[in-house]
Amino acid sequence: MRSFLRWAGSKRKLLPKLSQFFEPKYPVYVEPFAGSAALFFHLQPERAVLGDLNGSLISALSGIRDHPTEIFRRLAKIPRTPEEYYKIRRQFNDERSDPITNAAYFIYLNRNSFNGLWRTDSSGRYNVPYGGEKSGATPTLETLTLCGEALKGADLRHADFRATLKAAIRPDAFVYLDPPYFADQKRVFVEYGEKQFCNDDLLDLLQLLNQIDQAGAAFVFTYRDDRQIRRHCARWRVKRNRVMRNVGGFRGSRRVHSEIIVSNVPGD
């Protein structure tokens, strides 16, 4: 099953590799940086905890879980034009509608924005320009319904990753961590929230890996290849992966980057 969302930095192409770490003996799936929740929808665990600092994202996931048909009907009525896009963007930023409309607006903006990005300014206002149908087709009713069914067993939390992890770490948990990349204190085009993931957050996350491991839980952590992370994670499995990424979201800025997959799950 694919997620109904597009997301900058999504590990969709890595799903076959990432899913190899998951085992049924870990009945609770935990993802504190949910984003599009691509791995969650791929695995479809019966029980999960999905957290994110993006409250609009968590509201959209809740809406799809509870009202997929109503959201689809609202979404299907919105024309895919630049004029309508900027109208919806303004309404999304300035007006608080009912949960179904807000979820439909969120999905519409995600599917019509430039490169499918989700980015806000320092005031928390969504500001990605129109990208058109290059971001993919509007999700079908079948897709939204299936995603909604998968979310039935999920505890959705609008929370910082620290709070999500501290509340969810347990011996039978499988934790997937895919945080935003730390960008040396600079806001970059692909930043998707008003609070940027910074070096202090990364250091806290590395310490939480120790706690996850000591609790007997399994984890998989994906990040750009970084010497500091390699040193900290030397006791666990570290695999390098070469990927093509857009720097700043522009086609002409595609570069091959080295990323790593770190896990305490035994294996080759």
Side-chain angles (χ1 to χ4, degrees):
M1 181 192 302
R2 283 194 176 188
S3 173
F4 63 95
L5 296 169
R6 289 193 68 197
W7 214 255
S10 169
K11 299 302 186 291
R12 182 171 57 85
K13 294 182 179 179
L14 276 180
L15 292 179
K17 292 183 178 180
L18 295 175
S19 61
Q20 294 175 7
F21 293 92
F22 182 76
E23 298 178 8
K25 67 179 181 179
Y26 303 112
V28 181
Y29 177 95
V30 181
E31 189 169 356
F33 304 94
S36 66
L39 182 59
F40 164 80
F41 285 116
H42 181 72
L43 296 174
Q44 299 180 57
E46 292 186 5
R47 297 167 58 195
V49 178
L50 302 178
D52 205 283
L53 267 182
N54 187 331
S56 296
L57 166 65
I58 296 300
S59 294
L61 291 173
S62 299
I64 291 301
R65 178 189 61 194
D66 300 331
H67 308 287
T69 302
E70 294 88 339
I71 291 172
F72 174 78
R73 288 172 179 167
R74 182 71 183 87
L75 182 62
K77 293 179 180 179
I78 309 175
R80 302 187 73 178
T81 65
E83 296 77 16
E84 192 68 19
Y85 177 86
Y86 289 110
K87 174 185 174 182
I88 295 297
R89 192 179 75 170
R90 177 184 56 77
Q91 291 176 340
F92 184 82
N93 283 326
D94 296 340
E95 303 172 13
R96 292 296 89 185
S97 301
D98 62 275
I100 291 174
T101 299
N102 282 336
Y105 284 179
F106 182 91
I107 298 169
Y108 175 85
L109 292 171
N110 174 261
R111 281 295 183 171
N112 291 278
S113 64
F114 173 73
N115 260 7
L117 296 175
W118 186 266
R119 183 197 62 184
T120 63
D121 62 21
S122 58
S123 299
R125 293 175 62 84
Y126 179 75
N127 63 1
V128 180
Y130 178 70
E133 297 186 7
K134 293 181 180 179
S135 291
T138 298
T140 64
L141 176 58
E142 180 183 17
T143 295
L144 295 184
T145 301
L146 289 173
C147 287
E149 287 298 317
L151 288 164
K152 293 293 186 186
D155 177 5
L156 303 174
R157 303 186 179 190
H158 176 203
D160 178 86
F161 71 92
R162 301 169 187 84
T164 299
L165 288 175
K166 289 178 180 178
I169 292 176
R170 43 191 286 177
D172 60 353
F174 175 87
V175 185
Y176 176 51
L177 308 106
D178 183 33
Y181 289 173
F182 166 54
D184 299 324
Q185 305 298 334
K186 299 176 183 177
R187 269 188 82 81
V188 293
F189 189 80
V190 296
E191 279 293 338
Y192 75 93
E194 56 190 292
K195 181 183 182 297
Q196 178 183 338
F197 190 82
C198 67
N199 191 54
D200 287 344
D201 295 319
L202 179 58
L203 294 176
D204 284 349
L205 180 56
L206 292 176
Q207 291 303 315
L208 281 166
L209 291 182
N210 297 332
Q211 296 181 32
I212 295 169
D213 188 49
Q214 292 167 6
F219 75 79
V220 175
F221 168 48
T222 49
Y223 206 71
R224 67 183 180 193
D225 195 358
D226 180 273
R227 187 177 302 174
Q228 173 184 246
I229 294 175
R230 282 182 169 273
R231 285 198 303 265
H232 182 89
C233 299
R235 78 198 81 170
W236 301 308
R237 296 169 64 189
V238 180
K239 291 189 174 184
R240 180 179 294 176
N241 188 61
R242 303 287 284 179
V243 296
M244 182 73 74
R245 293 283 183 202
N246 285 0
V247 180
F250 295 96
R251 183 179 298 275
S253 59
R254 286 180 176 175
R255 300 288 185 275
V256 175
H257 294 270
S258 180
E259 298 182 342
I260 55 175
I261 301 175
V262 179
S263 180
N264 67 342
V265 178
D268 297 333

Short mmCIF file of all heavy atoms in Angstrom, two decimals, residues 42-69:
data_model
loop_
_atom_site.label_atom_id
_atom_site.label_comp_id
_atom_site.label_asym_id
_atom_site.label_seq_id
_atom_site.Cartn_x
_atom_site.Cartn_y
_atom_site.Cartn_z
N HIS A 42 3.36 0.79 4.05
CA HIS A 42 3.92 -0.37 3.37
C HIS A 42 3.81 -1.63 4.24
O HIS A 42 3.44 -2.71 3.75
CB HIS A 42 5.39 -0.11 3.02
CG HIS A 42 6.08 -1.22 2.30
ND1 HIS A 42 5.80 -1.54 0.99
CD2 HIS A 42 7.02 -2.11 2.72
CE1 HIS A 42 6.55 -2.57 0.62
NE2 HIS A 42 7.30 -2.93 1.65
N LEU A 43 4.10 -1.49 5.55
CA LEU A 43 4.07 -2.62 6.46
C LEU A 43 2.67 -2.93 6.98
O LEU A 43 2.35 -4.08 7.28
CB LEU A 43 4.99 -2.35 7.66
CG LEU A 43 6.48 -2.21 7.35
CD1 LEU A 43 7.22 -1.79 8.62
CD2 LEU A 43 7.06 -3.51 6.81
N GLN A 44 1.84 -1.91 7.14
CA GLN A 44 0.49 -2.03 7.67
C GLN A 44 0.44 -2.78 9.01
O GLN A 44 -0.27 -3.79 9.15
CB GLN A 44 -0.42 -2.74 6.65
CG GLN A 44 -0.54 -2.00 5.33
CD GLN A 44 -1.44 -2.74 4.35
OE1 GLN A 44 -2.59 -3.01 4.64
NE2 GLN A 44 -0.90 -3.06 3.18
N PRO A 45 1.18 -2.29 10.01
CA PRO A 45 1.13 -2.95 11.32
C PRO A 45 -0.23 -2.76 11.98
O PRO A 45 -0.92 -1.76 11.73
CB PRO A 45 2.23 -2.23 12.11
CG PRO A 45 2.28 -0.87 11.49
CD PRO A 45 2.04 -1.10 10.02
N GLU A 46 -0.63 -3.71 12.81
CA GLU A 46 -1.93 -3.62 13.46
C GLU A 46 -1.96 -2.55 14.54
O GLU A 46 -3.00 -1.94 14.79
CB GLU A 46 -2.31 -4.97 14.06
CG GLU A 46 -2.59 -6.05 13.01
CD GLU A 46 -3.09 -7.34 13.64
OE1 GLU A 46 -3.30 -7.36 14.88
OE2 GLU A 46 -3.27 -8.32 12.90
N ARG A 47 -0.82 -2.31 15.19
CA ARG A 47 -0.74 -1.30 16.25
C ARG A 47 0.43 -0.37 15.95
O ARG A 47 1.52 -0.83 15.59
CB ARG A 47 -0.55 -1.95 17.62
CG ARG A 47 -1.71 -2.84 18.04
CD ARG A 47 -1.32 -3.68 19.24
NE ARG A 47 -0.89 -2.87 20.37
CZ ARG A 47 -0.22 -3.36 21.43
NH1 ARG A 47 0.09 -4.64 21.48
NH2 ARG A 47 0.12 -2.57 22.43
N ALA A 48 0.21 0.93 16.12
CA ALA A 48 1.26 1.89 15.80
C ALA A 48 1.09 3.17 16.60
O ALA A 48 -0.01 3.50 17.05
CB ALA A 48 1.25 2.22 14.31
N VAL A 49 2.20 3.87 16.76
CA VAL A 49 2.22 5.23 17.30
C VAL A 49 2.91 6.09 16.26
O VAL A 49 4.08 5.88 15.94
CB VAL A 49 2.97 5.31 18.65
CG1 VAL A 49 3.01 6.75 19.14
CG2 VAL A 49 2.34 4.40 19.69
N LEU A 50 2.18 7.06 15.70
CA LEU A 50 2.72 7.98 14.70
C LEU A 50 2.69 9.39 15.26
O LEU A 50 1.63 9.88 15.64
CB LEU A 50 1.90 7.92 13.40
CG LEU A 50 1.77 6.56 12.72
CD1 LEU A 50 0.89 6.68 11.48
CD2 LEU A 50 3.13 6.00 12.35
N GLY A 51 3.84 10.02 15.31
CA GLY A 51 3.92 11.38 15.83
C GLY A 51 4.57 12.32 14.85
O GLY A 51 5.35 11.90 13.98
N ASP A 52 4.27 13.59 14.96
CA ASP A 52 4.91 14.61 14.13
C ASP A 52 4.62 15.98 14.73
O ASP A 52 3.56 16.18 15.34
CB ASP A 52 4.40 14.55 12.69
CG ASP A 52 5.40 15.13 11.69
OD1 ASP A 52 5.51 16.36 11.60
OD2 ASP A 52 6.10 14.33 11.04
N LEU A 53 5.55 16.92 14.52
CA LEU A 53 5.34 18.30 14.97
C LEU A 53 4.38 19.05 14.07
O LEU A 53 3.90 20.13 14.44
CB LEU A 53 6.68 19.05 15.03
CG LEU A 53 7.43 19.05 16.35
CD1 LEU A 53 8.69 19.89 16.23
CD2 LEU A 53 6.56 19.59 17.48
N ASN A 54 4.11 18.52 12.89
CA ASN A 54 3.20 19.16 11.95
C ASN A 54 1.76 18.80 12.33
O ASN A 54 1.28 17.71 12.02
CB ASN A 54 3.52 18.68 10.52
CG ASN A 54 2.73 19.42 9.47
OD1 ASN A 54 1.62 19.89 9.71
ND2 ASN A 54 3.30 19.52 8.28
N GLY A 55 1.09 19.72 13.02
CA GLY A 55 -0.27 19.46 13.47
C GLY A 55 -1.24 19.27 12.34
O GLY A 55 -2.19 18.47 12.45
N SER A 56 -1.03 19.96 11.21
CA SER A 56 -1.92 19.80 10.06
C SER A 56 -1.81 18.40 9.47
O SER A 56 -2.80 17.81 9.03
CB SER A 56 -1.59 20.84 8.99
OG SER A 56 -1.82 22.15 9.47
N LEU A 57 -0.60 17.86 9.48
CA LEU A 57 -0.40 16.49 9.01
C LEU A 57 -1.14 15.49 9.89
O LEU A 57 -1.85 14.61 9.39
CB LEU A 57 1.10 16.17 8.99
CG LEU A 57 1.47 14.70 8.84
CD1 LEU A 57 1.03 14.16 7.48
CD2 LEU A 57 2.96 14.49 9.05
N ILE A 58 -0.97 15.62 11.20
CA ILE A 58 -1.62 14.69 12.12
C ILE A 58 -3.15 14.80 11.99
O ILE A 58 -3.86 13.78 12.02
CB ILE A 58 -1.18 14.96 13.56
CG1 ILE A 58 0.32 14.68 13.71
CG2 ILE A 58 -1.97 14.11 14.55
CD1 ILE A 58 0.73 13.26 13.39
N SER A 59 -3.66 16.01 11.81
CA SER A 59 -5.10 16.18 11.62
C SER A 59 -5.58 15.51 10.33
O SER A 59 -6.66 14.91 10.29
CB SER A 59 -5.46 17.67 11.58
OG SER A 59 -5.21 18.27 12.84
N ALA A 60 -4.76 15.60 9.27
CA ALA A 60 -5.13 14.95 8.01
C ALA A 60 -5.13 13.43 8.16
O ALA A 60 -6.03 12.75 7.65
CB ALA A 60 -4.17 15.38 6.90
N LEU A 61 -4.15 12.88 8.85
CA LEU A 61 -4.12 11.44 9.09
C LEU A 61 -5.34 11.00 9.91
O LEU A 61 -5.97 9.98 9.61
CB LEU A 61 -2.83 11.05 9.82
CG LEU A 61 -1.53 11.19 9.03
CD1 LEU A 61 -0.32 10.93 9.94
CD2 LEU A 61 -1.49 10.24 7.84
N SER A 62 -5.68 11.79 10.92
CA SER A 62 -6.87 11.48 11.72
C SER A 62 -8.13 11.54 10.87
O SER A 62 -9.03 10.69 11.01
CB SER A 62 -6.99 12.48 12.89
OG SER A 62 -5.88 12.41 13.74
N GLY A 63 -8.19 12.53 9.99
CA GLY A 63 -9.36 12.67 9.13
C GLY A 63 -9.52 11.49 8.19
O GLY A 63 -10.63 10.98 8.00
N ILE A 64 -8.42 11.06 7.59
CA ILE A 64 -8.47 9.91 6.68
C ILE A 64 -8.85 8.64 7.43
O ILE A 64 -9.56 7.78 6.91
CB ILE A 64 -7.11 9.74 5.97
CG1 ILE A 64 -6.88 10.90 4.98
CG2 ILE A 64 -7.03 8.40 5.23
CD1 ILE A 64 -7.94 11.03 3.92
N ARG A 65 -8.42 8.52 8.66
CA ARG A 65 -8.79 7.35 9.47
C ARG A 65 -10.29 7.32 9.73
O ARG A 65 -10.92 6.25 9.69
CB ARG A 65 -8.03 7.40 10.80
CG ARG A 65 -8.35 6.25 11.76
CD ARG A 65 -7.74 6.50 13.12
NE ARG A 65 -8.29 7.73 13.71
CZ ARG A 65 -7.74 8.34 14.77
NH1 ARG A 65 -6.65 7.87 15.33
NH2 ARG A 65 -8.30 9.44 15.24
N ASP A 66 -10.88 8.49 9.98
CA ASP A 66 -12.27 8.55 10.43
C ASP A 66 -13.28 8.90 9.33
O ASP A 66 -14.43 8.47 9.41
CB ASP A 66 -12.39 9.57 11.56
CG ASP A 66 -11.52 9.24 12.76
OD1 ASP A 66 -11.26 8.04 12.98
OD2 ASP A 66 -11.08 10.18 13.46
N HIS A 67 -12.84 9.66 8.32
CA HIS A 67 -13.81 10.16 7.32
C HIS A 67 -13.23 10.13 5.90
O HIS A 67 -13.26 11.16 5.20
CB HIS A 67 -14.22 11.60 7.67
CG HIS A 67 -14.70 11.78 9.07
ND1 HIS A 67 -15.92 11.33 9.51
CD2 HIS A 67 -14.10 12.38 10.13
CE1 HIS A 67 -16.08 11.65 10.78
NE2 HIS A 67 -14.99 12.27 11.18
N PRO A 68 -12.72 9.01 5.41
CA PRO A 68 -12.10 9.00 4.08
C PRO A 68 -13.05 9.37 2.95
O PRO A 68 -12.67 10.09 2.03
CB PRO A 68 -11.59 7.56 3.94
CG PRO A 68 -12.43 6.75 4.88
CD PRO A 68 -12.70 7.68 6.03
N THR A 69 -14.29 8.90 3.00
CA THR A 69 -15.24 9.17 1.92
C THR A 69 -15.60 10.64 1.86
O THR A 69 -15.62 11.25 0.77
CB THR A 69 -16.51 8.32 2.10
OG1 THR A 69 -16.17 6.93 2.11
CG2 THR A 69 -17.50 8.58 0.96
#
